[in-house]
Amino acid sequence: MPTAQPCLGRQRPTGSHPQTRTPPTAYRANFLVAIPRTPLSPSAQLPEVVRPPTSGPFKRLARLRRRLRRRLWLRLRRRLLRLMEPERERTGKHFKKGRKRRRAPNTLVGAAEAMRARWELGERQPEAKKARLSAILFAENCEVTHDQLCELLKYAVLGKSSVPKPSWCQLFHQNHLNNVVVFVLQGMSQLHFYRFYLEFGFLRKAFRHKFRLPPPSSNFLADIIGLKKKQATRDQSKMGEGSLPSTSSKVRVNLQNDPIIQKYGSKKVCLTRCLLTKEEMKTFHFPLQGCPDCANFVPTKCNGSITDNSPLFGLDCEMCVTSKGRELTRISLVAEGGSCVMDELVKPDNKILDYLTSFSGITKKILNPVTTRLKDVQRQLKSLLPPDAVLVGHSLDLDLRALKMIHPYVIDTSLLYVREQGRRFKLKFLAKAILGKDIQCPNRLGHDATEDARTTLELARYFLKYGPRKIAELNLEALASHQELLATGQELRNTAEVVQQPNTSVLECLDLMGQKLLFLTREPETSELSSARNCETVKCLSNKEVLEQARVEIPLFPFSIVQFSFEPFSPSLTEEMNKRMRIKWTEMSTVYAGPFSKNCNLRALKRLFKSFGPIRSMTLVLETHQPHLCIQYEVLEAAQLAIESLDGVLVEGACIKVQRPVTELTLDCNTLVNELEQDSENRGTIYLSGVSETFKEHLLQQSNLFLGLEAVILPKDLKSGKQKRYCFLKFKNFGSAQRALDILKGKDWKLKGRHALTPRHLHAWLRGLPPESRRPPGIRVIPPPSEQQALQALKVDHPKIAAWRWGRKIGKLYHSLGPGTLCLILLPGTKSTHGSFSGLGLMGIKDEEESTTPNVCL
């Protein structure tokens, strides 16, 4: 039967337009099945169309059908071309204007257009602000000193308004950070990480930012926190109970600068003025209706109108630590007259891990016979409180969250008595300074919840009776500073001066914020960090106990240091492992190619293999029947690219084989290469060879082709200072990197490349490879007897086992952290008689959004 093959683009129907007409749905489904996935070229021809019978009355109908099919095909092709070229509108190439026609309903293609529109809209709209780290480190050779690490930690605590930004990295939107957690793997180094690289599955995939640390000092933790060695003055007089200076002995202060006067004024205030507003309750994390984390909370049903005569109720709760966090164990409610209207012990629903007896006074013996549950307390509290009740407490948000209840009218004495820098006075201090009474005495087991509730009620009544001016005249800030001075043996210094000093420690920064540092360790000896005043130190008996305590305590502190301790290898074994690791990386960067003919052009072959990357050495192997070449590259990517490009290819008239030497050190190199490519730091990075000196300018001129470009890394020769002929490009994600790689390998750029394999900090280590550590490839290395014995007698905390076991456990702990948590994994390094080994740092922010701003690192 005759067929017709009209050329694409000819006989366009009058009035048709590629952007307006859409084929009916019945035809569209049939045509979409036959469309190829690749874009159609203008020279593509229509598929064969079978002619229907042309005799009789069917002739005109057949001609109309052919014309309709041709129109539908042309229209659909143009629409698909427009969808497959998202850059058409950006480059200014628009279709010609034509007469618009009414569009038919379009489900499939319309959905694709809507998806594309949402994607473009998402690019134009500003991203929600989240704390994030820069894509590239600015440190020399990616080595970060302990002082530079301390810079980052201080900036994470205080922000740019108080301390300078870190000099080696960028932390954006610091005020959106929620917590800082530092994991220290004591006894491990960079050598351990890459020796057991395959075992450290979670660490290498979860943390995109890695850097090298210098060899450890005598006190690694004190260095990264910023503590300086000093002789503690223990012979100073300790402050006794109630030894606050009298108000008459204080110098006269400017009341207008007092934070209480600035907030409330100098005149007396009414009860409603002391209530926290809804915005303040939201800022200080009070449970509110509609909050996602308060879905199961019970409201008190107090919705009456508040007046200056509304009743006040003092509330205080004691908690314990369970498997689900902190839960209620005791509640005390005190009425205005001081009578206790409710004092109940409560048994938690989950398993108790720590009774917190030193704070709560609750023991297992006391709580065993208790049958009251949280639901009973909620029901009783709802029946006791009148509609216009006002709850008074100290840090009342914690008490309401322990009760899992929502109450709209609250007075928080920790916020009522305002302090500078957002800090809060302790209840014990306010009771002594304002009321002249001693509470929470050290000779008593735990706190008395009824006494604390009654004290908060009295503090609120005192504020309402005497007004802010009376409170400001007491100069509470000076009293608290004097008390801290006597307690710590430190000189009184101005807050601003403390922050601006370069030797300010992280502990001092936390103290300025009224916060404490959590330190979990299994080290038996006491360090300067553990003896600090505002450091909550929890000493454990094993790494397992450290992990269990970390799950419970980390959410309760803004800054945490979790230290795991592992038994390192012996010095001789560590040195042997170091040599073998360096040899392994050298052999992985070496390839054998051949066979070649005896008359091969060596100059042309060297030029061919040099096109994949810088060559360290190239030798001709004549031990075989036909010549082979042994090429050792400077970077692992070049060797892998040569294998992928030339293995099985016809070169110089012969089909050659390109492979690595096979030894016991390279048996798992294929697996290692695959895992290196999946490393989070390499995931969005590509390696390019053959770049010129003008590559950077050319790249930036056409930056619209490389969406998501974050950094350009241009290595230089250490001796001459000239730019090398290879580079690395870092992108926001793998998809952007793949698109850029396809473009750069195309006919316009004519570069060779692949996805990166080696992180930037690793290049400095590999460049320092000493010649004496190399060995001729192929010679078998026999493990010394000491290592064989060590591997047979592996213990639980041996680095080999710890690599895969504790890597997974830290991964589970990391996943339990909240969003916006800055997490650092530090391998401090090791020291021995054979030398010192540098450490390694990994960092990231939970659920961080990476930057898309290009940076150039020369």
Side-chain angles (χ1 to χ4, degrees):
M1 184 176 293
T3 59
Q5 295 182 347
C7 296
L8 188 66
R10 297 181 181 179
Q11 300 179 0
R12 175 180 293 180
T14 305
S16 64
H17 191 270
Q19 292 183 341
T20 56
R21 292 291 300 274
T22 304
T25 307
Y27 289 99
R28 187 190 315 121
N30 296 331
F31 278 105
L32 284 176
V33 176
I35 296 302
R37 295 180 66 87
T38 57
L40 300 177
S41 63
S43 61
Q45 293 184 344
L46 291 172
E48 294 185 356
V49 180
V50 179
R51 291 179 181 272
T54 57
S55 60
F58 295 99
K59 185 175 182 179
R60 181 177 178 84
L61 181 60
R63 187 165 57 251
L64 291 174
R65 285 179 176 174
R66 289 198 305 271
R67 182 175 298 177
L68 178 61
R69 289 179 181 176
R70 189 181 300 114
R71 287 181 181 179
L72 294 177
W73 175 263
L74 290 173
R75 208 166 293 126
L76 186 57
R77 169 194 170 272
R78 295 189 193 104
R79 186 173 297 277
L80 288 176
L81 282 176
R82 186 160 58 91
L83 291 176
M84 293 177 182
E85 297 179 5
E87 297 300 319
R88 182 179 294 274
E89 295 182 2
R90 299 175 185 267
T91 56
K93 298 179 182 179
H94 297 280
F95 291 105
K96 295 181 180 179
K97 293 185 178 180
R99 183 167 60 91
K100 293 185 178 181
R101 295 194 177 188
R102 186 177 180 181
R103 297 192 178 189
N106 191 342
T107 305
L108 297 177
V109 180
E113 285 185 335
M115 185 178 298
R116 178 188 167 202
R118 286 194 300 268
W119 176 74
E120 291 180 346
L121 182 62
E123 280 193 340
R124 292 193 298 267
Q125 289 179 346
E127 296 180 357
K129 288 186 178 181
K130 292 184 179 181
R132 55 182 173 85
L133 290 162
S134 58
I136 188 169
L137 307 179
F138 303 131
E140 184 72 20
N141 293 329
C142 282
E143 180 171 291
V144 178
T145 64
H146 298 160
D147 291 338
Q148 289 175 328
L149 196 58
C150 183
E151 288 178 4
L152 173 64
L153 296 178
K154 290 193 294 185
Y155 183 75
V157 173
L158 291 180
K160 63 182 178 181
S161 60
S162 302
V163 295
K165 294 182 179 180
S167 59
W168 58 281
C169 70
Q170 288 180 301
L171 175 59
F172 300 98
H173 308 308
Q174 173 273 340
N175 56 329
H176 291 272
L177 272 182
N178 295 325
N179 296 87
V180 180
V181 181
V182 181
F183 295 100
V184 180
L185 308 186
Q186 194 68 34
M188 290 192 177
S189 64
Q190 181 177 236
L191 173 63
H192 293 84
F193 182 80
Y194 285 104
R195 170 63 180 86
F196 308 118
Y197 182 81
L198 297 179
E199 284 78 9
F200 278 115
F202 165 75
L203 298 184
R204 56 185 165 83
K205 292 181 180 179
F207 295 94
R208 189 181 182 189
H209 311 278
K210 303 180 181 69
F211 51 89
R212 191 174 58 168
L213 292 172
S217 59
S218 57
N219 196 338
F220 173 76
L221 287 177
D223 287 344
I224 65 172
I225 295 299
L227 292 176
K228 305 299 180 182
K229 291 185 177 181
K230 52 188 176 181
Q231 184 67 29
T233 56
R234 302 297 183 185
D235 53 347
Q236 289 189 345
S237 59
K238 299 280 184 178
M239 183 189 69
E241 291 295 327
S243 60
L244 290 174
S246 61
T247 56
S248 60
S249 64
K250 298 189 300 290
V251 295
R252 187 166 184 171
V253 295
N254 186 1
L255 297 182
Q256 298 302 320
N257 296 330
D258 194 280
I260 294 181
I261 298 294
Q262 292 179 352
K263 181 176 181 180
Y264 297 102
S266 58
K267 298 182 178 180
K268 293 183 180 182
V269 295
C270 58
L271 186 148
T272 55
R273 180 68 177 86
C274 298
L275 295 177
L276 290 180
T277 64
K278 189 174 182 179
E279 290 74 20
E280 289 176 326
M281 294 179 70
K282 185 176 181 181
T283 301
F284 296 106
H285 308 291
F286 276 78
L288 296 172
Q289 288 186 345
C291 292
D293 57 342
C294 303
N296 298 325
F297 282 38
V298 178
T300 57
K301 302 298 183 182
C302 294
N303 51 8
S305 59
I306 298 298
T307 65
D308 293 341
N309 297 322
S310 295
L312 302 180
F313 291 86
L315 176 68
D316 187 71
C317 296
E318 302 295 342
M319 282 81 79
C320 69
V321 178
T322 69
S323 57
K324 297 295 184 180
R326 298 210 173 204
E327 291 190 42
L328 182 70
T329 54
R330 183 182 176 183
I331 175 176
S332 292
L333 188 69
V334 177
E336 276 194 84
S339 61
C340 182
V341 295
M342 183 179 180
D343 188 13
E344 292 284 344
L345 293 174
V346 185
K347 177 166 287 189
D349 297 327
N350 299 289
K351 181 182 178 181
I352 298 177
L353 303 179
D354 189 354
Y355 285 85
L356 301 177
T357 306
S358 59
F359 300 100
S360 65
I362 305 296
T363 62
K364 183 178 181 180
K365 183 179 180 180
I366 295 175
L367 211 57
N368 269 341
V370 176
T371 58
T372 305
R373 297 288 183 174
L374 179 62
K375 292 183 178 180
D376 303 326
V377 171
Q378 293 173 342
R379 191 182 307 109
Q380 186 177 354
L381 194 60
K382 287 174 64 176
S383 62
L384 284 174
L385 294 177
D388 60 340
V390 176
L391 291 181
V392 183
H394 198 82
S395 297
L396 194 56
D397 56 320
L398 301 178
D399 297 330
L400 290 175
R401 287 189 175 274
L403 286 167
K404 292 187 177 182
M405 298 189 74
I406 298 174
H407 189 77
Y409 313 123
V410 296
I411 296 177
D412 195 325
T413 52
S414 67
L415 301 174
L416 183 67
Y417 290 85
V418 189
R419 194 177 182 184
E420 296 176 354
Q421 302 290 333
R423 303 170 65 188
R424 302 190 187 188
F425 293 110
K426 294 182 179 180
L427 181 62
K428 181 178 179 179
F429 168 78
L430 290 176
K432 183 65 180 177
I434 303 296
L435 306 175
K437 58 187 294 188
D438 296 321
I439 64 171
Q440 302 175 359
C441 299
N443 56 355
R444 185 188 303 167
L445 182 62
H447 299 173
D448 186 347
T450 303
E451 182 185 59
D452 291 352
R454 190 177 288 113
T455 301
T456 58
L457 198 59
E458 292 175 9
L459 287 171
R461 277 298 173 193
Y462 186 95
F463 193 95
L464 292 171
K465 182 178 180 180
Y466 294 101
R469 184 178 182 84
K470 178 69 174 180
I471 308 298
E473 288 175 351
L474 295 176
N475 198 2
L476 296 178
E477 188 67 36
L479 292 176
S481 299
H482 180 75
Q483 187 182 39
E484 294 172 0
L485 169 66
L486 297 179
T488 60
Q490 296 179 351
E491 295 182 358
L492 186 61
R493 294 175 293 181
N494 183 269
T495 302
E497 293 177 355
V498 172
V499 173
Q500 293 174 1
Q501 290 181 359
N503 58 351
T504 304
S505 68
V506 175
L507 282 173
E508 290 174 313
C509 295
L510 288 170
D511 191 39
L512 295 175
M513 302 295 294
Q515 299 170 343
K516 277 191 173 185
L517 181 145
L518 171 66
F519 180 40
L520 296 170
T521 181
R522 58 166 288 192
E523 294 290 337
E525 65 273 6
T526 58
S527 62
E528 190 175 354
L529 175 61
S530 60
S531 59
R533 175 178 54 86
N534 62 328
C535 176
E536 186 74 22
T537 303
V538 180
K539 295 182 180 179
C540 305
L541 300 178
S542 63
N543 285 335
K544 184 178 180 181
E545 187 178 350
V546 171
L547 184 68
E548 293 176 351
Q549 289 290 335
R551 290 171 179 167
V552 177
E553 297 292 339
I554 283 179
L556 308 178
F557 289 84
F559 195 107
S560 306
I561 297 179
V562 183
Q563 184 181 42
F564 299 98
S565 301
F566 305 101
E567 293 296 330
F569 284 120
S570 64
S572 59
L573 192 57
T574 303
E575 180 63 25
E576 180 65 24
M577 186 172 64
N578 181 46
K579 291 180 179 179
R580 295 177 64 192
M581 279 300 300
R582 292 175 179 268
I583 293 172
K584 178 174 183 175
W585 284 100
T586 303
E587 291 183 351
M588 289 181 62
S589 303
T590 302
V591 297
Y592 281 87
F596 298 100
S597 64
K598 295 181 180 180
N599 299 325
C600 61
N601 188 342
L602 291 179
R603 183 172 297 179
L605 289 176
K606 184 174 182 179
R607 191 163 51 246
L608 172 63
F609 283 97
K610 195 174 182 179
S611 66
F612 300 107
I615 293 178
R616 180 172 288 169
S617 65
M618 187 171 111
T619 56
L620 188 63
V621 180
L622 301 176
E623 300 294 330
T624 54
H625 177 65
Q626 288 181 287
H628 286 68
L629 287 177
C630 176
I631 306 102
Q632 182 181 342
Y633 287 96
E634 290 185 13
V635 292
L636 179 61
E637 288 85 355
Q640 186 66 22
L641 187 58
I643 294 174
E644 295 170 350
S645 303
L646 297 180
D647 188 28
V649 176
L650 194 66
V651 178
E652 293 283 332
C655 185
I656 65 171
K657 184 173 182 62
V658 183
Q659 60 183 350
R660 291 188 177 89
V662 180
T663 68
E664 83 287 349
L665 297 180
T666 60
L667 287 175
D668 63 345
C669 66
N670 290 334
T671 303
L672 183 57
V673 166
N674 293 334
E675 293 299 327
L676 282 169
E677 191 169 340
Q678 298 299 319
D679 191 294
S680 59
E681 190 170 357
N682 301 328
R683 186 69 177 152
T685 308
I686 61 174
Y687 161 82
L688 296 173
S689 177
V691 300
S692 61
E693 294 182 356
T694 60
F695 171 76
K696 181 185 69 174
E697 290 76 11
H698 193 194
L699 183 72
L700 296 179
Q701 288 174 1
Q702 303 189 32
S703 58
N704 60 324
L705 298 177
F706 307 101
L707 300 178
L709 178 63
E710 292 181 325
V712 182
I713 304 172
L714 302 170
K716 291 184 178 180
D717 188 88
L718 297 179
K719 295 182 180 179
S720 63
K722 294 183 179 180
Q723 176 185 325
K724 293 189 176 183
R725 292 186 59 82
Y726 72 94
C727 73
F728 293 89
L729 303 183
K730 292 180 72 70
F731 290 86
K732 183 178 181 180
N733 51 49
F734 179 81
S736 300
Q738 183 62 53
R739 286 192 294 270
L741 186 61
D742 294 337
I743 295 173
L744 293 168
K745 289 169 63 177
K747 61 180 181 178
D748 294 334
W749 295 78
K750 298 180 181 179
L751 298 177
K752 295 181 179 179
R754 73 175 318 278
H755 291 279
L757 296 175
T758 49
R760 185 173 168 228
H761 69 272
L762 189 58
H763 290 291
W765 186 35
L766 298 179
R767 280 199 302 266
L769 180 65
E772 61 270 14
S773 68
R774 303 178 193 146
R775 64 175 173 87
I779 297 179
R780 185 173 184 270
V781 175
I782 302 176
S786 58
E787 183 172 353
Q788 292 178 348
Q789 296 172 2
L791 295 179
Q792 291 174 0
L794 286 178
K795 297 181 180 180
V796 174
D797 289 339
H798 192 281
K800 172 72 175 181
I801 300 299
W804 61 268
R805 176 174 296 175
W806 288 99
R808 290 186 303 164
K809 291 184 177 181
I810 293 175
K812 293 180 180 179
L813 184 58
Y814 174 80
H815 289 306
S816 67
L817 300 177
T821 299
L822 174 63
C823 185
L824 288 91
I825 310 288
L826 302 181
L827 286 67
T830 57
K831 274 189 174 183
S832 65
T833 55
H834 294 270
S836 58
F837 299 94
S838 59
L840 182 70
L842 305 91
M843 66 177 180
I845 298 177
K846 185 79 178 295
D847 300 334
E848 71 174 309
E849 293 289 338
E850 297 295 341
S851 173
T852 57
T853 304
N855 298 302
V856 178
C857 182
L858 303 177

